[in-house]
Amino acid sequence: MSDGNTEIKAGAQADVYALPLETLHPAQADLFAANAMWPYFERLRAEAPVHYTPDSEYGPYWSITRYNDIIAVDTNHQVFSSADGIALQTLEAKAEADKRPRGSSFIGMDPPEHDVQRKAVSPVVAPANLAAMAPLIRERAGKILDGLPIGEEFDWVDLVSKELTAMTLATLFDFPQEDRRLLTHWSDMFTNQPGHGPAKSWDHKREQADECFGRFTELWNERVNAPPKFDLVSMMAHAPATRNLSLRDYHSNVVLLIIGGNDTTRNTISGSIYALNKNPDQYDKLRADPSLITAMVSETIRWQTPLAHMSRTATQDFEMGGKTIRKGDTVVMWYVSGNRDDSVITDPERYNIERERPRQHLSFGFGIHRCVGNRLAELQLQIIWEEILARFPEVRVVREPTRTHSAFVKGYETLPVIIPRRN
């Protein structure tokens, strides 16, 4: 079994294959919220792996849906630039963004600027620091799990996934732990359109962004005049490549690090619970052999694909898949589709924690923009599952989750569960 109801999927597949190919528009948030996007990508991989959508709420864009084509785009920053943004934005969102000056984060840069700014924050996720952080992550994971209700329904997203990632992110920023859930809130404000998640309106989003930037400006001002410490703000404030950042560029990097430190881990923690419940034979294997946790983590990151896409802008005309991508065109790499490409991944619809090559996936990206915190994400997932198996024979999903209304963040807003008993 994969994810979703088989009969519903079959009906959705028939509807999608009845549409004219040229009208396919996979970047619909409604599809992702309903988990109904899969037939779009299945058809595009088969019939138009390089596909042009001429009109949408984002404007025109190309969809790249096969594994190897995605890698080809992701690793060619000379032709496919990040400088004009790394995710689809609605035309309304672009108009709102144009009302105030914008900065650039390192993920929205090409070399050489990208390389020197990324290098400034990389030490926080270096192997030695991850080893030093592991006992603290384990202690926190244990406390979170020990505080969960037994025999009562609760929301796993709120009490576990958000809580562990917020604690870790606050540590990385040296942000007050008592205010850690502000980081989660701001991440959701940045990634949600008005009317979804916590974002009530564009004015509300601006107000919350200003609150976030105000707090982080205070942190910068404190740390730029203090001896260097081993946190993200201090690293940026003291590194030669970033200490003279404009305020707008600093704020853009803060947004990147908040979102990057939140979404991948948070949604994969939730996704692992959901996937194992949808595939009970795999849950049985994991309980019988906890050494499979490492492979399960990688398989869940593939299966979940917590960020569905990244986008690039063509810097010149480029031929791909028999199509001509024109200079200035938006090109979307659909990681969520490439991770289900059966020409590269055997039986990709199947959730299989015993895959021969479990880390063969696109979820962290490739090339210069490969996720800087990928090992930290894997570490948190490894630890939380070691602690779960030590405590609970089962975490049972009792109803379908509420999914994030986004074609970018592929995640869960709620996941109702019950833990029947402790070990």
Side-chain angles (χ1 to χ4, degrees), residues 389-406:
L389 292 182
R391 286 165 173 79
F392 311 130
E394 180 185 12
V395 180
R396 184 185 304 161
V397 174
V398 294
R399 286 194 309 282
E400 282 295 298
T402 303
R403 292 180 169 84
T404 305
H405 189 267
S406 172

Side-chain angles (χ1 to χ4, degrees), residues 66-77 80 82 86 107 109 111 114-115 118 301-302 309-312 333-335 338-339 344-345 357-372 374:
R66 286 184 182 168
Y67 190 102
N68 289 325
D69 289 341
I70 291 168
I71 291 178
V73 171
D74 221 356
T75 54
N76 188 354
H77 59 266
F80 300 104
S82 301
I86 52 89
I107 201 172
M109 295 178 176
H114 163 273
D115 300 345
R118 177 180 169 120
I301 292 169
R302 178 196 72 86
H309 79 263
M310 288 281 180
S311 68
R312 302 287 186 261
M333 301 175 289
W334 287 108
Y335 297 147
N339 278 339
V344 175
I345 300 172
R357 298 176 63 196
R359 299 192 83 235
Q360 183 187 30
H361 61 74
L362 296 166
S363 298
F364 291 133
F366 274 84
I368 62 169
H369 291 297
R370 182 170 173 81
C371 175
V372 69
N374 66 88

Side-chain angles (χ1 to χ4, degrees), residues 188-258:
D188 290 344
M189 289 297 299
F190 291 130
T191 57
N192 277 281
Q193 294 289 303
H196 300 282
K200 299 174 185 176
S201 65
W202 290 110
D203 285 341
H204 187 214
K205 282 174 69 72
R206 281 191 293 271
E207 290 167 4
Q208 292 301 301
D210 288 342
E211 179 184 327
C212 173
F213 297 153
R215 287 291 296 270
F216 274 90
T217 299
E218 291 176 3
L219 294 179
W220 175 282
N221 290 337
E222 291 171 5
R223 292 173 195 175
V224 74
N225 295 311
K229 296 194 300 180
F230 209 71
D231 66 85
L232 290 167
V233 175
S234 188
M235 286 177 176
M236 286 189 284
H238 289 275
T242 52
R243 65 187 177 197
N244 295 317
L245 284 175
S246 70
L247 195 59
R248 289 195 296 270
D249 285 352
Y250 167 58
H251 290 163
S252 293
N253 277 300
V254 166
V255 173
L256 164 64
L257 294 167
I258 288 176

